Amino acid sequence: MSTRTIQGQKNLQDINQASKDGIGGSPLRPDGTLKVKGEFAYSSDLWHEDMLWGMALRSPHPRANILSVDISEAVKLPGVYAVLTHDDIPGSKFYGLEIQDQPALAIDKVRYHGEAIAIVAADHPETARRAVKKIKVEYEVLTPIVTEEQCLDPETYGYVHEPHEFKSHGHGNICHSQKLVHGGGVTDEIRALADVVVSGHYEVGMQDQAFLGPESGLAVPAEDGGMDLYVATQWLHVDRQQVAPVLGIPEEKLRLTLAGVGGAFGGREDLSMQIHACLLAQRTGKPVKIVYARDESFFGHVHRHPAKMYYEHGATRDGKLVYADARIVLDGGAYASASPAVVGNAASLGHGPYNIPNVRMEAIALYSNNPSCGAMRGFGAVQACFGYETQMDKLAAELGMDPVELRQLNAMSEGDPMPTGQVIDSPAPVAQLLQIVKDRPLPPPLDLDNLDVRTLPGALSNTSHGEGIVRGVGYSVGIKNVGFSEGFDDYSTARVRLEVIGGEPVAMVHTAMAEVGQGGITVHAQIARTELGVEQVTIHPANTEVGSAGSTSASRQTYMTGGAVKYAAEAVKAALIEKGRRRYGWTQTDIILLGGKVISEAGGPLVSIVDLLGDEAIDLTREHHHRPTVPFDKETGQGFGHVQYTFCANRAVVDVDIELGLVKVVELTAAQDVGKALNPLSVIGQIQGGCTQALGLAVMEEIIVKDGKVRNASFTDYLIPTILDVPPIPVDMLELPDPHAPYGLRGVGEAPTVSATPSIVAAIRQATGIALNRIPVRPEHLTGTL
Amino acid sequence: MEFLRPATWDEALAAKAEYPTALPISGGTDVMVEMNFDVHRPSAILDLNRITELSEWQIADDVVQLGASVPYTRIINELSGPLPGLALAAHTVGSPQIRNRGGVGGNLGGASPAGDAHPALLAAGRDVFVEVASQARGTRLIAIDDFYVGVKRNSMEKDELIRRVHIPVADGPQQFSKIGTRNAMVIAVCAFGFALHPKNGTVGTGIGSAAPTPRRAVEAEEYLAGVLAERGLWQSGDLLGTEVIQRFGELVKAAASPIDDVRGTAEYRRHSLAVMARRTLTWTWNDYSKQIRSAA
C-alpha cells in the first residue's frame, strides 16, 4: 500500500498519508541500537533467583564404546545438585529434526567428538565444571569411520548406526539419497550429442554458522509439573515437539519463550542445550541455566555439510548445454539432523538456474563419525553452486566464450522447467541479473603511487607494498528454494489485536516467529501499520501461547509469518469495517484504513478508528499455508517440490598476492530479484550479510577435522571475515512480483550465500591461473605449498 | 584462587615471592582467554594494573625503556619513531580493543612462538634486554637472545616479574611482516622482523611462528652484514641486486623449523618467510638508500 497513491483525492492526501514506516519503508529495527550499544539482553544474560548452572561432559573420542560411567565423585562435590546420564531420562531417549536418531545423552557409545555423555547441575558454573571433570568414563576407543570410502564399506569399516538401530531412510552408512533424471538422462547416446565436454571433482570444506551468541537458555520448572523454557532458537514449536517426549510430559505442559538470539544461520534449528537444561530442572526442581563456552559451541551445533562432487557438462560448439551429470556426496556426520532436506536441495537445485535438456544427478548424505552436519544458510544449494559454476567457467574457457554470455545463453526464465519437471511460474530473471552485475563499472585499479596498505592483501600485516599483486574478476549466479519443500506444510500463525490505548489505535502482533536478527519483527510492525492504518504497533514476545510460526530458515519468515500477519490484519480490518457497517449502515465498497481513520476512497473519512472501536478489542488469529508441494520421486527426482525459487548473481573483484597466496576481495557486486522489498534497508543488509558469509566460505571459513576430531574449535582459529576482509558490496534489487506470494515478495536471505562464493573463487582463478577445485581456498593452494 | 593487587613494584615482588605460581595479569588479553578456555586455573592471579610505572616509557642514552604494560596502541602512537619495527608489529596485534589493553610484557611472559612482538624485538638487535626482578635477587637484564628457551617457555625464574624492556632507538630502517589468513585480527601463521643497524654495521632478523621459539636467522644476518661491508654498501647505498636479496630470503627460510598445524603447512611457512624476508629487506634498503642519497 505504500506504493499505492490515492489519485484524484487531494483532500485525502492532505489529511492522510500512508505511514512511512509501513511496508516498502525502512524503519530501523527496534533491537539495532541496543545491540550496537551492548545493551540487548541475549539468552546468555538470562537469570533466575536460585538458579543452577548446567554443564555437559563431552566425548573426547569420535567413536568409542562406553564401558562405564562413574558419577560417584562428581555427586559428592558440595554444590552439585544432580548428575544425570541417559539412565535418568524419564521419557524418550532420542530426538531429531526429521529422524529421531540422536540420543539426548550417549547410550553405550559415542559417535562424534563432543557428544554429550552426562550432565551436571551445580550452584556455580565453576562447581559444575569441576564436577564434570570428576565423572569417570571408561572408553573402548574404536577407529572412526570418516572417509567416503570407509562409510560406503560398512562391512569392512563398521556401522555408525548398527543395522538393528538404523532409523533413517537409507541403508548401511547412507543416511539419505536422491536421484534425478530429466530428459533422456545421461547415456552414451546423449553424450554423443555434445561437441565439448568438461568435467571435474570439487570439494567444499565444513563451514560453521559461527553465530556470536553461544547456545544458552533457562529452564524453569512449573507448579503444574510442566516446564517453562526460555531459549535462543529458530523454531519454538519444533523444539517443544522434540523436548517434551524426552521429559515425558505432554507438549502443552512445556511452554517456550524466545530469548535474545545472537545469530543463527541454521545452527539453531537442531536442539543444543534445551533437553539438558530441562532434564536438570525437572530433576532438581530448580531453574537451570546453560550457557555454552565458545569451544563447546563448536561441538554443540551442527555445521554445513562438507561435500565431494563430480560434475560433467556437455555442450554444443556454440555453447548450448546438451547434458549435465553430477554426483554429490555430503558428509552428514553422526546424526541425521537436516540431512534429508539438504540432499533434496542438492539434488533438485544442483544443476543451477540453467536450461539443460538432459540431466542426471545423485545426491547422498553419509553417516560418519565426523561432527554432525545439518542446516546452514543455503544448504545443499551452496555446495552444488560451487560445482556447477566452476563448470560454467571451465566450459566457457573450453569454448573460448565469455563466461557471462555462456551463462546467459543457457539461463532459465519464467515458464522453463526445472530438472525436477517443476515449471517456474514466477519471474526468473537469471540473464538479467548477470547483465546487471556485468554492467556495473569496475572499481579503479590499484594506485601503486598512493597505496593504503589496508586495501591490499594482508592489510596491516604489511606483507606487500604492491609486490606480487594481481587482480582478477569472476562471475556467478545461483538458485535457491524458499520455504520448506517436498510436501512439507510449514505453515505460520499470527495473532493480531487492535484496540485503543491512551486515545490512540494500537495494533499488537503476536507470533512464535524467532527473531534471530533477520528483522522479522520490524517487518511485522510494518505490515500491521500498512494493513490497519495505524502508527503504533507492539510486538508480543514470541512464545508457544500462539500457534507455530515455523522455522526462521529457508528464507521463509517474511513470506510465511509475514503473510500470516497480513492475513490476520486483513481479518481484523474486515471485522472493524463490518462493525462500522452495522453501526453506521455504510454501503461503500471502497473502504480502507489509513492514518488512524476509516476512509471511503471516493468519499473521504468516515470515522476514526478510535471512535469506531471504543472499548472493544478485535483480536484474531490466522494461519498461512503456502501452496502445497509434493515429495520428489525417489528414482527420477520429478515433482512439484519447491514453493518458490530465488536467484542472485554476483561479480567479484579480487587482488591476490600471488607470491604469498593472500587474497583481498576488492568489491563484491550483487543483483537479486526480491519480488518486493518490504523493508529495503533490511533486504540490502540480508544480501550483504549473505555475501559476507559466502566470502568466508570462499577464502577462510573451515572447521578442520582430522580423524574425526575437531582441530579449531575457537574464533582464534576458525576465522570469519573482519571489516578489513569485507569489501564494498553494491546491491541491485529487482522487484518483480511473484503472483503466488504475499505482496509478491521473494525470500531473500540465502540466495547470495549460494551464489557469491563461486564468483570470488572464479576471480582468484582468473588472477592466478590456478584451477581451484576446493573451498575454502587457502594460501597453500595458491603457492603450491600444501 | 587468590587475587593479589599490589600497589607498588616492591609489593608485587613480595607477592610473587610468596606465591611463585601466581600468574601475573595486566591487560588480560592472553590470560583471560586461556582461563575462559579452561587451559589453566592458576592458584593465584597477580594483578599489576595498580603499578603505574609499568605503563610508562622513557628514553635514556638512546635506549627506550619500555614498561611491560605499555599498551600496543601507545607503542603505535608514541614510539613509531624510535621503535618502528615494534610499532609495525603492534599494528598487527588483534583488534583495537586488544591493542588498547595488551602490551609487550604479556607477549614475553607468555613466550608463545606466535607472539607478534618477538620478531621485532629480535630484529632490534642483540642489545635488547628484558629487565626482570625478584625480591630475593633484585634486578637482572636478560639478553633477548637468551630469553626464549622453549615452546611458551622463557628463562625467567618463578619468583621473577618483567618490569620493562630495553630496546635501542632505531638507527636505521626497520620492517615487520606477518602472514595471517585474514586481513586483521589473526594469529600469525608466521612473521618476520627485519632491521638495519648502520651504526655497528649489523642487521637484525626475527622469525615468528616457524620454530619452537621466536628465533633469529643468524646465517642470514651474517651473510647480509658481510655483503654490505665487503661491497661498501653502507656507505654507497647502492642497489643490493636480486642475487643478494634472493640469497638472504633462502637463508631466512633455512633458519626456520616450522610444523604443519591448523594455521598453515610447514612448507607454506618456509616459502612465505623467504618472500617476507626479500620484501622487508628491499623496503628497508630502499629507505636506507634514500637517506644516504639525501644526506650526500
Side-chain angles (χ1 to χ4, degrees):
Chain A
M1 194 134 131
S2 65
T3 57
R4 182 168 152 192
T5 51
I6 306 166
Q7 290 168 341
Q9 301 288 330
K10 205 161 189 307
N11 60 328
L12 277 184
Q13 279 188 354
D14 289 344
I15 352 168
N16 301 296
Q17 288 292 339
S19 170
K20 70 173 173 47
D21 290 340
I23 64 166
S26 290
L28 297 179
R29 50 197 306 162
D31 51 337
T33 307
L34 292 172
K35 283 176 175 170
V36 170
K37 291 171 77 174
E39 290 168 358
F40 183 81
Y42 290 98
S43 53
S44 49
D45 299 317
L46 290 164
W47 188 86
H48 198 289
E49 209 171 326
D50 291 336
M51 74 180 186
L52 303 176
W53 296 78
M55 205 165 282
L57 169 72
R58 295 179 181 274
S59 168
H61 308 293
R63 184 177 178 222
N65 289 323
I66 298 171
L67 304 178
S68 67
V69 180
D70 178 1
I71 63 166
S72 56
E73 291 300 311
V75 178
K76 279 186 216 155
L77 200 68
V80 170
Y81 282 72
V83 181
L84 308 180
T85 67
H86 75 88
D87 283 332
D88 302 300
I89 293 175
S92 163
K93 295 191 179 189
F94 293 88
Y95 72 96
L97 273 179
E98 299 181 37
I99 297 157
Q100 285 72 52
D101 64 350
Q102 182 155 8
L105 289 165
I107 304 169
D108 302 335
K109 62 170 82 173
V110 288
R111 296 185 177 87
Y112 72 96
H113 178 201
E115 181 159 7
I117 296 165
I119 45 177
V120 170
D123 57 8
H124 191 280
E126 185 67 17
T127 310
R129 187 188 67 81
R130 289 179 191 177
V132 163
K133 285 198 170 168
K134 287 189 182 294
I135 301 170
K136 294 192 195 80
V137 183
E138 210 183 330
Y139 298 98
E140 180 195 0
V141 178
L142 304 171
T143 306
I145 307 159
V146 291
T147 67
E148 179 185 347
E149 185 202 351
Q150 291 166 351
C151 291
L152 293 180
D153 185 2
E155 300 219 339
T156 306
Y157 296 98
Y159 292 86
V160 179
H161 298 263
E162 296 295 331
H164 70 269
E165 57 185 7
F166 195 87
K167 292 177 178 166
S168 185
H169 310 302
H171 58 87
N173 287 321
I174 294 176
C175 172
H176 195 84
S177 63
Q178 176 69 57
K179 288 181 179 167
L180 183 146
V181 181
H182 174 69
V186 177
T187 60
D188 288 347
E189 289 75 26
I190 296 286
R191 279 195 169 97
L193 299 174
D195 301 319
V196 178
V197 174
V198 293
S199 65
H201 292 273
Y202 305 102
E203 205 177 321
V204 179
M206 185 185 288
Q207 191 181 19
D208 189 75
Q209 299 83 358
F211 44 69
L212 298 188
E215 292 85 345
S216 41
L218 176 69
V220 185
E223 282 177 6
D224 66 350
M227 188 75 63
D228 290 290
L229 176 63
Y230 303 84
V231 67
T233 182
Q234 289 179 236
W235 187 356
L236 291 167
H237 285 77
V238 86
D239 280 12
R240 176 163 81 166
Q241 195 184 314
Q242 293 175 91
V243 176
V246 181
L247 303 181
I249 62 174
E251 276 190 31
E252 58 273 17
K253 283 205 169 181
L254 177 62
R255 295 161 291 262
L256 274 76
T257 302
L258 188 72
V261 183
F265 313 108
R268 294 186 212 270
E269 280 195 32
D270 286 85
L271 296 179
S272 57
M273 45 57 63
Q274 287 90 329
I275 289 174
H276 296 166
C278 289
L279 284 172
L280 290 168
Q282 194 179 39
R283 172 61 70 97
T284 61
K286 282 170 163 286
V288 174
K289 172 174 173 172
I290 293 182
V291 182
Y292 285 0
R294 179 58 60 194
D295 51 348
E296 188 173 20
S297 174
F298 276 98
F299 295 106
H301 63 255
V302 299
H303 317 289
R304 187 190 295 294
H305 286 69
K308 289 192 171 157
M309 309 182 284
Y310 172 75
Y311 270 90
E312 181 181 317
H313 284 80
T316 61
R317 213 167 302 284
D318 56 6
K320 271 289 200 191
L321 289 169
V322 174
Y323 75 90
D325 195 9
R327 182 166 187 270
I328 298 176
V329 179
L330 301 150
D331 185 351
Y335 297 106
S337 179
S339 278
V342 178
V343 166
N345 280 3
S348 58
L349 305 168
H351 281 298
Y354 300 112
N355 288 317
I356 313 172
N358 305 291
V359 166
R360 186 170 66 174
M361 164 69 81
E362 183 184 17
I364 64 171
L366 302 172
Y367 274 128
S368 74
N369 293 118
N370 287 317
S372 288
C373 290
M376 182 175 172
R377 201 174 196 173
F379 67 53
V382 163
Q383 294 91 335
C385 189
F386 174 62
Y388 62 74
E389 284 301 89
T390 304
Q391 284 282 103
M392 287 303 117
D393 285 341
K394 226 180 222 187
L395 184 58
E398 189 71 25
L399 291 164
M401 278 182 79
D402 177 272
V404 173
E405 281 171 22
L406 174 73
R407 286 172 169 87
Q408 288 175 318
L409 181 68
N410 293 288
M412 56 173 43
S413 49
E414 185 169 359
D416 287 334
M418 290 289 291
T420 58
Q422 181 174 5
V423 171
I424 299 199
D425 55 2
S426 71
V430 177
Q432 189 184 353
L433 294 170
L434 283 162
Q435 195 62 42
I436 290 170
V437 294
K438 189 181 181 184
D439 287 346
R440 266 203 182 259
L442 281 162
L446 263 191
D447 180 359
L448 289 173
D449 297 325
N450 290 297
L451 279 179
D452 179 343
V453 77
R454 287 172 301 181
T455 65
L456 298 177
L460 286 171
S461 291
N462 193 39
T463 45
S464 170
H465 293 172
E467 300 93 335
I469 311 268
V470 180
R471 181 156 291 189
V473 180
Y475 293 90
S476 61
V477 64
I479 180 170
K480 177 71 182 54
N481 59 317
V482 172
F484 284 24
S485 303
E486 300 183 57
F488 198 90
D489 179 21
D490 56 325
Y491 70 95
S492 281
T493 315
R495 174 184 157 223
V496 171
R497 180 182 173 91
L498 184 64
E499 63 191 318
V500 177
I501 299 175
E504 264 199 274
V506 177
M508 190 267 292
V509 179
H510 184 188
T511 74
M513 177 199 68
E515 170 63 61
V516 305
Q518 81 277 23
I521 54 173
T522 317
V523 162
H524 289 181
Q526 290 177 258
I527 292 170
R529 283 190 198 102
T530 293
E531 296 300 337
L532 296 173
V534 301
E535 277 302 315
Q536 298 300 321
V537 183
T538 58
I539 302 292
H540 192 285
N543 59 25
T544 49
E545 284 171 17
V546 67
S548 174
S551 182
T552 301
S553 46
S555 306
R556 66 177 284 287
Q557 273 302 17
T558 303
Y559 189 126
M560 291 308 301
T561 308
V565 173
K566 178 180 194 276
Y567 300 134
E570 283 173 350
V572 168
K573 174 164 64 180
L576 182 71
I577 293 171
E578 183 52 34
K579 185 179 165 72
R581 288 190 200 285
R582 283 201 308 271
R583 185 186 297 172
Y584 301 111
W586 299 332
T587 54
Q588 295 96 325
T589 54
D590 62 348
I591 298 175
I592 59 166
L593 306 183
L594 195 66
K597 297 182 181 64
V598 185
I599 289 166
S600 159
E601 286 188 78
L606 299 170
V607 64
S608 73
I609 293 174
V610 170
D611 288 342
L612 178 54
L613 205 51
D615 294 336
E616 200 189 327
I618 300 175
D619 193 325
L620 295 170
T621 299
R622 289 290 180 273
E623 279 181 7
H624 177 208
H625 298 254
H626 57 67
R627 55 186 178 159
T629 60
V630 300
F632 297 121
D633 181 272
K634 196 85 183 138
E635 291 302 314
T636 66
Q638 299 299 296
F640 192 97
H642 294 307
V643 178
Q644 187 188 48
Y645 295 97
T646 171
F647 307 90
C648 183
N650 295 93
R651 182 188 69 198
V653 180
V654 305
D655 280 337
V656 184
D657 184 330
I658 57 168
E659 277 190 290
L660 289 174
L662 301 178
V663 175
K664 167 83 182 174
V665 182
V666 174
E667 187 193 75
L668 184 56
T669 301
Q672 187 170 337
D673 173 23
V674 304
K676 163 74 185 169
L678 264 56
N679 184 317
L681 186 65
S682 284
V683 168
I684 289 168
Q686 280 290 319
I687 295 172
Q688 292 180 328
C691 286
T692 301
Q693 214 148 15
L695 185 158
L697 177 60
V699 295
M700 64 182 81
E701 291 191 37
E702 182 174 8
I703 300 231
I704 295 170
V705 181
K706 191 154 188 272
D707 300 327
K709 289 201 180 188
V710 175
R711 303 282 306 280
N712 56 339
S714 74
F715 279 147
T716 308
D717 285 313
Y718 183 87
L719 300 181
I720 56 176
T722 71
I723 194 68
L724 281 181
D725 299 282
V726 181
I729 304 176
V731 174
D732 282 298
M733 284 190 303
L734 276 189
E735 289 190 304
L736 308 180
D738 176 352
H740 310 288
Y743 300 116
L745 72 84
R746 208 172 278 286
V748 298
E750 293 173 290
T753 311
V754 174
S755 60
T757 304
S759 72
I760 295 167
V761 181
I764 300 171
R765 216 178 271 128
Q766 200 207 39
T768 61
I770 299 171
L772 300 167
N773 296 328
R774 186 187 196 282
I775 47 173
V777 176
R778 299 181 63 91
E780 284 87 347
H781 294 131
L782 300 176
T783 51
T785 55
L786 204 59
Chain B
M1 187 189 296
E2 294 287 327
F3 187 65
L4 311 168
R5 296 202 71 207
T8 66
W9 179 245
D10 288 341
E11 278 180 37
L13 294 181
K16 186 65 172 159
E18 192 179 347
Y19 298 89
T21 58
L23 188 61
I25 186 170
S26 180
T29 58
D30 214 10
V31 170
M32 289 312 298
V33 173
E34 297 214 326
M35 284 179 61
N36 278 333
F37 272 113
D38 204 16
V39 175
H40 42 68
R41 284 286 187 277
S43 58
I45 295 271
L46 180 57
D47 177 9
L48 301 172
N49 280 292
R50 292 172 72 195
I51 306 166
T52 51
E53 66 163 285
L54 296 177
S55 304
E56 292 163 2
W57 62 266
Q58 53 272 319
I59 297 178
D61 299 329
D62 279 344
V63 173
V64 179
Q65 296 174 354
L66 179 69
S69 303
V70 175
Y72 291 110
T73 302
R74 286 183 52 208
I75 294 175
I76 296 166
N77 293 337
E78 300 166 22
L79 290 166
S80 285
L83 304 177
L86 186 63
L88 282 170
H91 266 294
T92 74
V93 175
S95 60
Q97 294 89 334
I98 302 288
R99 293 194 286 273
N100 285 340
R101 296 285 304 173
V104 172
N107 242 211
L108 291 166
S112 158
D116 292 317
H118 309 313
L121 293 178
L122 284 165
R126 292 181 187 269
D127 294 333
V128 171
F129 296 96
V130 183
E131 180 183 331
V132 302
S134 68
Q135 192 183 40
R137 299 176 308 284
T139 296
R140 67 176 176 131
L141 296 179
I142 307 176
I144 195 71
D145 285 286
D146 301 328
F147 188 79
Y148 311 107
V149 295
V151 177
K152 298 195 172 186
R153 283 192 301 119
N154 58 35
S155 53
M156 291 169 65
E157 302 295 334
K158 282 209 178 319
D159 61 348
E160 287 178 325
L161 291 171
I162 300 170
R163 189 174 206 174
R164 55 190 160 221
V165 190
H166 300 249
I167 313 163
V169 169
D171 61 323
Q174 302 187 347
Q175 278 291 348
F176 175 87
S177 280
K178 160 174 152 181
I179 301 282
T181 32
R182 71 178 166 196
N183 290 314
M185 283 181 70
V186 69
I187 307 276
V189 172
C190 59
F192 185 68
F194 182 70
L196 293 172
H197 301 298
K199 269 191 189 158
N200 62 9
T202 63
V203 302
T205 60
I207 292 172
S209 288
T213 65
R215 67 163 64 151
R216 194 180 286 289
V218 178
E219 280 186 51
E221 289 181 1
E222 287 169 355
Y223 163 75
L224 186 60
V227 169
L228 296 176
E230 281 162 29
R231 301 189 191 173
L233 293 169
W234 286 116
Q235 291 74 35
S236 70
D238 284 351
L239 289 179
L240 293 174
T242 49
E243 200 182 314
V244 172
I245 294 169
Q246 204 70 31
R247 177 82 183 130
F248 177 72
E250 289 307 308
L251 288 170
V252 168
K253 177 179 174 174
S257 44
I259 54 165
D260 289 333
D261 65 15
V262 291
R263 292 175 192 151
T265 63
E267 200 183 340
Y268 176 70
R269 288 184 160 104
R270 272 192 287 265
H271 165 84
S272 55
L273 274 171
V275 176
M276 289 191 290
R278 294 198 299 264
R279 290 183 182 177
T280 52
L281 170 57
T282 306
W283 302 336
T284 48
W285 191 256
N286 285 348
D287 288 347
Y288 180 73
S289 295
K290 272 182 218 154
Q291 287 171 20
I292 292 287
R293 297 210 180 105
S294 61

